[in-house]
Amino acid sequence: MSTTAVPQNTALSRFTGVLGDVISRPSGALGLGLVAAHLIMALISPYLSPYDYKEMNAAMMLAGPDASHWLGTDHLGRDVFSRTIQGGREAILVTGIATPVAVFWGGMVGIFFGLIGGRVDEVLMRFVDAFLSLPWILKMLVLIVTFGTGIEVLIPTLAFFYGIPVIRIARAATHDVVARDFVSAARARGHKRLTIMRRELLPNVLDTLMVEGAMRWSWMLLAFSSLSFLGFGVSPPAPDWGLMISDARGYMSFAPWGVLGPVIALSSLIIGINLTADALAKALGIDRAQKAPV
Amino acid sequence: MTAAPIIDIQDISIGFTGLSGSTLPVLRNIDLSVRPGESVGLVGESGSGKSTLALAAMGYLKRGLRVLNGSSHFNGDDMFSQSRKSLEHIRGGKLGLVPQNSGQSLTPTLRIGAQLTEALRLHSKLDQAQYRARVLELLGQVRLPDPEAIYARFPHELSGGQQQRVAIAMALAGEPDALLLDEPTTGLDVTTQAHILELLRDLAAETGMAMVYVSHDLGAIARVCDRVVVMYAGEVVLESTAKQVLTAPTHPYARGLLASIPKLSDPHLPTALDGRPPAPGKAGAGCAFVDRCGIASGLCRSSRPPLAAGPGGAMSRCHHAEQANQLPMTSTGADPERSDPNAPAALALDKVSISYAKQGLIEKLLGKEDTRPVTVDGISVAMKRGETLGLVGESGSGKSTILKSIAGLLPPAGGEITFGDGGHLPQEVERRSNDHLRRIQLIFQNPDDSMNPRHTIAEILEQPLKLYFGLKGQALHDRSAELLERVRLGAHYMTRLPSQLSGGEKQRVAVARAFAAEPELVLCDEVTSALDVSVQAAVLDLLNELKQEQGTTYVFVSHDLAVVRALSDRVAVLYQGRLCEIGPSEDVYALPSHPYTEVLLGAVLEPDPDYAPKLTADDVIELAPPAQGCPFQRRCPRKLGAICDTDSPPWQQQPNGHAVRCHISLEELNRLQVDEARSDETPKETLSA
């Protein structure tokens, strides 16, 4: 027998392997680069901003781009460039916390449903279906109107709503795994349900959940920006892409730069996340086309 | 035999580019020619390149492979330089393929008639109006009963054997000159397999087609081939007539392969062929088989033997072909460990019945009588400590279901299972104590499926050790390493993932995992059916050794009667979830036996070209047992009459524990079967004389 080097199969070696695979794909390298740039910008932008984002200048309202204001000024004379580079901080913070929470709780519930199966699973899933059939914006608005706005409401709200479709995905992925003999083997050995979920099912569903998490993140960013756009998210004068678009859209015909900055920033982040998710799915061998759209 | 070969492969090498960038050959300089009317078998272990070679005859390469040198001609056309259009014309037309898993190669949403019509539209010159008649004719040609009915069915409505027949009919649609059959009977029941092979033999005789069989099963090859090509590590190592390859092979590998096949006539364990073939590109300068060969010399390490004519005219790739002739090729394996008749009780099933249907909640609340249809019924068996009970039967006979029930995964609908000293064994796995769980372990059929692909071998072995013994740290590591040593793998396997192991290695890990619990009862569910024969012998050997050491009790489920024979003290024959016969192995395998056992035994193929199976019953698959009477009534070749339809047959006990459940008395069965066996032999002797 050949005496090749003993393969190391640690979590770290797998992580670096997958990361390397993602980066080696053009879409993955571009996507990951975009996401990383946004994250770094969110951290350091307060120190880079040429102007204070709330500093108004009545003399320079809706001024076009020039050497001092790279992206021009808005209707209150605030520097659009400074506001744009800081405009993603809250969105990234809120969604960056809400996404893992959503994927975690949705994933756990989905794996549990997938494991127990049978009638209980069927009945509970019908509730999930009923809930998903309502438009998300209505459900969000009900909660926000009831509890008010602000980070402390937005994070749990987004985490809750975006966890529910994850239940379906995790349940479907679990159903494929549960039918396999190693799960029967674990049951026959007498492992507890929780151990089976954690040790046998989770590692095999994790790939799907990671890709799903990346997708959820981009959708959540859009949702957050939409809420800000409607005035339910970040309150003025804080800079936020959704809010900036909302403020500037009235002047779009003669001062398009007010919209341009936040639109490019928001779409580049979302495209970056989607490209990463795509590359990740390919690296992990998950066919996203097969997943039911939710 | 002077006709020009129809399939002519010259000096072909096929390979792929490895991760390191070097070219790794899968086939090395192979010549293969098949003349019209000839049947050639390609045999070898998985990975030997036999399928790649057969597909090369069609000009087809699996993804990533490319031709390094050589050529492949069919009817004079170079198959690797054809245009796509003419290739499409030849493939499925003059050169048919019957793929391995035909059930999966049929389109599930198209009726059988429509699928065959499609094949005709592509490959025959018939007028559209004639399609239907021709399809019915083809279905008749492959001996499908009631072609009209089959015409209108969907693939899932057919049994595995019927699907295979449809696939053969489809290959015949283009009136081919040659047929490639890739493992045509693998995965089918013994009786179905024997029937399909008889059909193929008849077809070859009727049509004069050339046939190329790819198979790992020497028994199947023996039945249908004139010439056999033995492949090893991408090379032809032996090529000769079927008779010579199977009865007097002049290559050590072929002899080892033959010795590793368990045979019905031999109660010994088969001899394992240790080691594994070199990976592509890893074969050194010498003979590829050198590391596993018993007669290898220095010459074998330094120079690659040529394929040369040896004794008896066989082409053998061996420096010591003469010497190879002396190697044993019947099993010299150990005697199976026999149990002590006075041992304490290990397991008893009392009138166990099992149902897959769930009892309705309302019925349960109302306390209504349980009326679920039972898959398995009336199973009563008592086993002693250290005994091995073989459960045999065709697919759907309930063998695995019974194991699941003992393991607690599928609680019985009726009856009782007692374990060990008569202590109560809770039916559901969730209610069993840790001690009960530890003492009963289950080994699954397919190690790819029974091990979590995300866990390393260490993690897989640690689970029972942590769960049952609470081992931690160094003790845990040491015990895992010890277990790996025990199954001859070694501690360096601990950091590997299951996907980095071969099939045989994976199954050893599965065995190690079961024995980590230090069990008293091990349930083996077709543990060797996913493995190559040479590897199968090693796993059987390992199970026998462990039994010797630890006095473990086995329930051994297999569809392969010879494998069961090699390991079992007692054998129980199941049909449709009902016991037909049970008794000491030597008695069950001898006459007289239950008519169903007789059918099963008759269909077993031996790697001997002169051995003809005795097919006494149809290979119809029944979906449910009859409502009353004997479960085997509809297929029984010895059916008495109305009594079989109405009355459950009685158990006929013999003093040594052998019991047959049949209306025909044992004396009568004996008279019928022994007489027939004698009359079968007489004409054969006169023929050969």
Side-chain angles (χ1 to χ4, degrees):
Chain A
M1 201 183 317
S2 59
T3 49
T4 44
V6 174
Q8 292 300 319
N9 294 298
T10 57
L12 182 70
S13 71
R14 182 166 151 75
F15 175 77
T16 51
V18 170
L19 190 68
D21 192 331
V22 169
I23 293 174
S24 72
R25 293 166 194 274
S27 65
L30 179 63
L32 217 52
L34 281 172
V35 174
H38 268 285
L39 292 180
I40 292 166
M41 190 53 86
L43 281 175
I44 61 170
S45 55
Y47 312 102
L48 292 182
S49 293
Y51 297 89
D52 183 351
Y53 65 78
K54 36 184 200 298
E55 187 189 310
M56 291 183 265
N57 186 345
M60 295 238 357
M61 287 196 298
L62 298 172
D66 61 22
S68 58
H69 295 283
W70 295 348
L71 286 176
T73 61
D74 67 3
H75 63 293
L76 296 174
R78 295 174 295 194
D79 180 39
V80 174
F81 178 74
S82 301
R83 289 178 67 78
T84 299
I85 61 174
Q86 294 191 57
R89 301 188 75 202
E90 196 144 342
I92 291 173
L93 178 71
V94 169
T95 57
I97 297 172
T99 304
V101 175
V103 172
F104 179 77
W105 87 261
M108 286 301 124
V109 173
I111 292 174
F112 184 69
F113 280 12
L115 176 61
I116 55 170
R119 286 184 202 135
V120 184
D121 169 45
E122 283 299 327
V123 171
L124 292 174
M125 284 314 290
R126 294 296 82 79
F127 279 106
V128 170
D129 289 344
F131 192 85
L132 286 173
S133 66
L134 297 169
W136 67 272
I137 192 98
L138 286 182
K139 295 180 281 192
M140 297 275 260
L141 288 180
V142 168
L143 276 180
I144 288 167
V145 168
T146 317
F147 297 108
T149 177
I151 289 191
E152 67 286 356
V153 175
L154 283 175
I155 292 179
T157 308
L158 284 168
F160 175 68
F161 284 118
Y162 279 80
I164 287 172
V166 178
I167 296 179
R168 295 187 60 144
I169 302 285
R171 173 179 170 269
T174 307
H175 268 298
D176 294 344
V177 183
V178 160
R180 299 185 59 184
D181 279 344
F182 62 81
V183 180
S184 302
R187 278 188 62 207
R189 271 199 306 275
H191 285 297
K192 301 268 179 301
R193 223 176 232 172
L194 215 61
T195 319
I196 295 180
M197 278 174 66
R198 184 170 51 85
R199 291 203 47 114
E200 309 291 340
L201 300 177
L202 183 61
N204 288 289
V205 177
L206 198 62
D207 290 357
T208 312
L209 285 184
M210 279 184 5
V211 175
E212 188 58 23
M215 298 300 301
R216 293 285 146 206
W217 187 21
S218 77
W219 290 338
M220 214 186 266
L221 269 168
L222 272 178
F224 181 86
S225 302
S226 307
L227 285 176
S228 294
F229 181 85
L230 293 174
F232 296 106
V234 179
S235 25
D240 179 84
W241 296 328
L243 192 58
M244 287 168 72
I245 297 169
S246 170
D247 285 347
R249 91 198 131 118
Y251 317 101
M252 220 163 81
S253 52
F254 54 93
W257 48 84
V259 181
L260 205 61
V263 162
I264 290 176
L266 181 60
S267 29
S268 65
L269 178 55
I270 285 172
I271 289 171
I273 294 172
N274 275 301
L275 287 176
T276 313
D278 263 342
L280 186 64
K282 284 193 189 117
L284 296 170
I286 295 169
D287 189 357
R288 264 178 55 198
Q290 282 180 357
K291 296 277 173 280
V294 188
Chain B
M1 292 291 278
T2 47
I6 183 159
I7 292 173
D8 190 16
I9 295 177
Q10 292 294 332
D11 195 34
I12 204 159
S13 295
I14 290 175
F16 61 96
T17 308
L19 285 175
S20 56
S22 54
T23 300
L24 306 174
V26 181
L27 293 182
R28 295 192 287 166
N29 309 90
I30 291 194
D31 296 327
L32 175 75
S33 61
V34 182
R35 289 168 207 285
E38 210 182 6
S39 289
V40 175
L42 304 178
V43 292
E45 286 169 283
S46 49
S48 62
K50 52 190 191 301
S51 290
T52 308
L53 178 61
L55 291 174
M58 293 193 97
Y60 180 83
L61 294 170
K62 284 187 198 147
R63 247 175 107 176
L65 293 180
R66 59 197 154 83
V67 177
L68 305 176
N69 61 274
S71 65
S72 164
H73 286 85
F74 176 74
N75 256 347
D77 295 326
D78 186 342
M79 295 302 280
F80 285 112
S81 66
Q82 293 287 306
S83 70
R84 199 187 165 84
K85 207 165 169 74
S86 62
L87 263 184
E88 274 169 8
H89 186 69
I90 297 172
R91 291 179 185 164
K94 289 295 154 200
L95 181 56
L97 173 75
V98 179
Q100 173 162 12
N101 202 333
S102 59
Q104 281 170 19
S105 68
L106 297 173
T107 311
T109 51
L110 274 184
R111 292 179 195 275
I112 299 301
Q115 311 209 16
L116 285 169
T117 307
E118 198 169 53
L120 286 178
R121 199 162 51 231
L122 286 171
H123 295 295
S124 84
K125 294 182 188 71
L126 286 179
D127 197 53
Q128 203 161 355
Q130 297 167 294
Y131 284 165
R132 191 185 155 84
R134 174 72 180 135
V135 168
L136 292 177
E137 187 187 322
L138 283 169
L139 290 172
Q141 201 181 358
V142 293
R143 320 271 189 280
L144 276 165
D146 199 357
E148 294 273 354
I150 301 276
Y151 188 93
R153 291 216 188 135
F154 286 105
H156 71 266
E157 294 174 304
L158 305 182
S159 70
Q162 287 172 326
Q163 288 173 345
Q164 192 68 35
R165 282 167 199 260
V166 170
I168 295 168
M170 200 179 278
L172 294 178
E175 293 175 44
D177 296 330
L179 208 51
L180 303 175
L181 302 111
D182 191 356
E183 302 273 5
T185 58
T186 305
L188 299 176
D189 279 319
V190 270
T191 46
T192 315
Q193 156 167 313
H195 277 97
I196 297 275
L197 292 175
E198 291 311 297
L199 167 70
L200 291 168
R201 261 173 81 98
D202 293 349
L203 283 176
E206 275 168 33
T207 60
M209 272 183 297
M211 304 248 204
V212 176
Y213 290 87
V214 176
S215 181
H216 69 281
D217 184 346
L218 287 167
I221 291 285
R223 190 66 193 132
V224 287
C225 294
D226 315 322
R227 197 149 59 85
V228 175
V229 174
V230 183
M231 296 188 59
Y232 184 79
E235 289 180 322
V236 172
V237 293
L238 181 65
E239 178 174 357
S240 186
T241 59
K243 190 165 174 72
Q244 194 175 19
V245 168
L246 295 165
T247 56
T250 51
H251 193 280
Y253 173 62
R255 296 189 89 89
L257 210 53
L258 280 165
S260 67
I261 301 174
K263 290 165 201 75
L264 268 187
S265 49
D266 186 355
H268 289 93
L269 282 170
T271 323
L273 192 57
D274 282 328
R276 61 202 268 194
K282 288 275 193 288
C287 173
F289 187 61
V290 67
D291 289 331
R292 301 170 78 183
C293 186
I295 53 168
S297 64
L299 177 67
C300 301
R301 296 211 172 268
S302 58
S303 89
R304 185 178 163 206
L307 193 62
M315 299 294 282
S316 173
R317 194 182 286 282
C318 183
H319 287 306
H320 308 291
E322 252 94 318
Q323 227 176 311
N325 240 339
Q326 314 301 319
L327 284 171
M329 51 171 226
T330 48
S331 63
T332 51
D335 278 328
E337 181 67 14
R338 293 291 173 217
S339 63
D340 172 10
N342 301 319
L347 175 79
L349 306 187
D350 185 28
K351 299 200 188 70
V352 167
S353 63
I354 309 165
S355 174
Y356 277 98
K358 281 195 177 147
Q359 201 178 2
L361 189 65
I362 296 164
E363 282 87 349
K364 221 189 281 181
L365 287 177
L366 290 176
K368 277 198 184 162
E369 209 178 321
D370 195 349
T371 54
R372 294 178 279 169
V374 287
T375 313
V376 169
D377 198 18
I379 305 294
S380 299
V381 186
M383 291 178 68
K384 300 211 178 310
R385 187 84 54 85
E387 191 181 19
T388 300
L389 175 72
L391 287 182
V392 294
E394 289 164 300
S395 55
S397 62
K399 320 179 285 283
S400 299
T401 307
I402 294 173
L403 288 195
K404 275 190 200 156
S405 212
I406 301 173
L409 294 173
L410 190 68
E416 204 180 351
I417 302 174
T418 21
F419 180 58
D421 33 31
H424 177 66
L425 181 72
Q427 296 188 337
E428 285 133 7
V429 73
E430 286 82 9
R431 302 214 179 132
R432 291 186 181 174
S433 68
N434 222 16
D435 190 48
H436 272 140
L437 292 167
R438 178 187 67 75
R439 287 156 70 189
I440 303 178
Q441 291 291 316
L442 184 59
I443 307 176
F444 290 85
Q445 170 171 12
N446 190 344
D448 285 322
D449 214 39
S450 67
M451 287 192 270
N452 195 329
R454 290 269 182 266
H455 290 175
T456 59
I457 301 307
E459 286 173 300
I460 287 167
L461 290 177
E462 282 165 6
Q463 285 185 38
L465 295 175
K466 282 192 214 162
L467 181 69
Y468 300 129
F469 304 106
L471 291 184
K472 281 192 197 79
Q474 193 60 38
L476 182 64
H477 180 271
D478 290 350
R479 180 75 181 122
S480 311
E482 193 185 322
L483 283 164
L484 279 174
E485 288 299 340
R486 190 63 206 81
V487 295
R488 294 188 220 107
L489 285 178
H492 58 283
Y493 278 84
M494 296 210 356
T495 54
R496 295 191 193 184
L497 289 172
S499 56
Q500 292 159 334
L501 268 58
S502 73
E505 288 172 336
K506 275 182 247 185
Q507 200 58 300
R508 281 163 194 264
V509 174
V511 170
R513 175 171 71 177
F515 277 88
E518 296 170 25
E520 287 164 28
L521 174 65
V522 176
L523 310 169
C524 305
D525 190 0
E526 300 265 15
V527 288
T528 60
S529 63
L531 306 175
D532 273 319
V533 270
S534 62
V535 181
Q536 159 174 295
V539 171
L540 291 177
D541 210 35
L542 176 66
L543 287 171
N544 192 47
E545 262 181 51
L546 288 165
K547 177 179 165 182
Q548 222 160 15
E549 262 172 39
Q550 326 214 335
T552 324
T553 313
Y554 288 126
V555 181
F556 191 89
V557 160
S558 179
H559 68 280
D560 186 330
L561 281 89
V563 169
V564 168
R565 158 123 232 207
L567 208 65
S568 305
D569 298 304
R570 271 201 304 160
V571 176
V573 183
L574 282 164
Y575 184 75
Q576 293 277 334
R578 277 82 177 151
L579 278 177
C580 296
E581 180 169 4
I582 183 167
S585 328
E586 54 268 35
D587 288 301
V588 172
Y589 284 85
L591 299 171
S593 44
H594 189 281
Y596 177 56
T597 316
E598 190 193 354
V599 167
L600 282 181
L601 288 171
V604 172
L605 297 166
E606 299 270 340
D608 174 359
D610 293 332
Y611 180 88
K614 288 185 270 300
L615 301 178
T616 43
D618 298 336
D619 58 334
V620 195
I621 302 298
E622 296 186 67
L623 294 175
Q628 53 176 358
C630 173
F632 192 52
Q633 55 179 260
R634 287 182 285 215
R635 283 175 67 192
C636 185
R638 303 198 184 278
K639 190 175 168 184
L640 284 177
I643 188 170
C644 298
D645 294 336
T646 52
D647 292 6
S648 255
W651 277 109
Q652 304 186 52
Q653 295 280 357
Q654 286 194 309
N656 61 354
H658 184 200
V660 174
R661 199 176 185 194
C662 188
H663 284 297
I664 310 172
S665 75
L666 288 175
E667 295 76 47
E668 183 68 8
L669 278 174
N670 191 30
R671 199 181 58 75
L672 286 168
Q673 295 170 349
V674 175
D675 281 1
E676 260 170 43
R678 204 169 294 138
S679 66
D680 275 356
E681 273 159 31
T682 344
K684 213 173 176 181
E685 279 164 6
T686 43
L687 271 178
S688 55

